[in-house]
Amino acid sequence: GSRPTGCSGWWDMHTVGGPQNYVDSLYKDPNNWTNKSDNKKEIVVWGETMGVGTPDDHEKIVKWYEQNGKTGYDYLDHKKILNGYNDFLDRWGFRKAFPTASDLFQEIGKKNYFFWQKVIENCRISDPVDYIVVSGWESTAVENHSGIVDAHRNFKSNPGIVKKACVPNDLVVRPRKFILAKGDKAVV
């Protein structure tokens, strides 16, 4: 991440990038986790907090263009990408699991929203953190795709996944590991 500012009662750290998925190292124990702060002297902001790249729902975007008789600057990009995903689903026999490319994009989007849910929770369990900035709005078809919506403002999955971390009172019980080997014990 970049160096935090810290002047006039304001502390802001940008950590754009990140591991591209929620990993166990983002919460190690009750004293050591990502986005933790002990700074009670300033307004604490985690600006542009990490990110996780997931594809847009190219099928929804292409359908919007076609249903509205529009071509847009990125229509052909989305159409080419969608054709590639459809070819992949057909060639490798994944249509049973994902009847449409949109079904696949929405499933992949769950990774993005699970990541944001856990990062928001990490910030909320650190009382000195005043707010965070979640990467939200994409702007181009060829992008890092870390936003919570795509370039056409479509949700990448069910937003209820992220909403769970944003309720006024949220009890967070964080395991040290989300994936355990057979026989390992869960530690919370």
Side-chain angles (χ1 to χ4, degrees):
S2 58
R3 296 178 144 215
T5 60
C7 62
S8 302
W10 186 272
W11 183 94
D12 184 357
M13 169 73 97
H14 286 236
T15 57
V16 70
Q20 297 304 308
N21 202 348
Y22 191 84
V23 293
D24 291 334
S25 63
L26 296 179
Y27 181 90
K28 294 180 181 175
D29 61 54
N31 298 306
N32 185 4
W33 69 88
T34 299
N35 304 110
K36 180 179 187 284
S37 177
D38 296 319
N39 184 351
K40 296 179 182 178
K41 294 180 181 179
E42 298 171 296
I43 294 171
V44 175
V45 180
W46 290 98
E48 221 175 351
T49 309
M50 293 190 271
V52 56
T54 53
D56 294 345
D57 191 330
H58 301 284
E59 187 168 349
K60 280 185 181 176
I61 293 170
V62 168
K63 280 183 180 178
W64 182 88
Y65 277 123
E66 291 173 351
Q67 289 171 350
N68 290 283
K70 307 283 184 188
T71 56
Y73 75 95
D74 61 351
Y75 169 70
L76 291 178
D77 290 331
H78 288 290
K79 192 164 178 70
K80 286 178 188 176
I81 294 167
L82 175 60
N83 289 340
Y85 273 93
N86 280 323
D87 289 347
F88 171 84
L89 291 171
D90 292 334
R91 182 177 305 133
W92 299 104
F94 285 108
R95 285 288 181 192
K96 190 171 186 180
F98 305 105
T100 68
S102 188
D103 294 328
L104 175 62
F105 298 135
Q106 292 293 305
E107 189 64 31
I108 295 170
K110 287 179 183 176
K111 173 183 108 163
N112 181 310
Y113 287 7
F114 179 82
F115 172 86
W116 286 118
Q117 178 192 48
K118 299 307 170 203
V119 168
I120 292 167
E121 289 172 353
N122 278 3
C123 289
R124 292 190 68 193
I125 60 177
S126 184
D127 285 337
V129 174
D130 293 292
Y131 70 91
I132 69 168
V133 178
V134 172
S135 294
W137 308 108
E138 301 294 6
S139 58
T140 64
V142 183
E143 207 341 317
N144 68 8
H145 303 288
S146 63
I148 206 158
V149 296
D150 66 26
H152 289 244
R153 308 306 184 243
N154 296 308
F155 289 114
K156 292 189 172 184
S157 193
N158 178 350
I161 297 168
V162 177
K163 182 180 177 182
K164 289 177 185 177
C166 299
V167 296
N169 296 302
D170 187 22
L171 174 64
V172 176
V173 178
R174 181 73 80 227
R176 308 288 165 81
K177 292 182 179 183
F178 275 92
I179 298 173
L180 300 171
K182 186 175 182 179
D184 283 357
K185 293 184 180 179
V187 177
V188 291

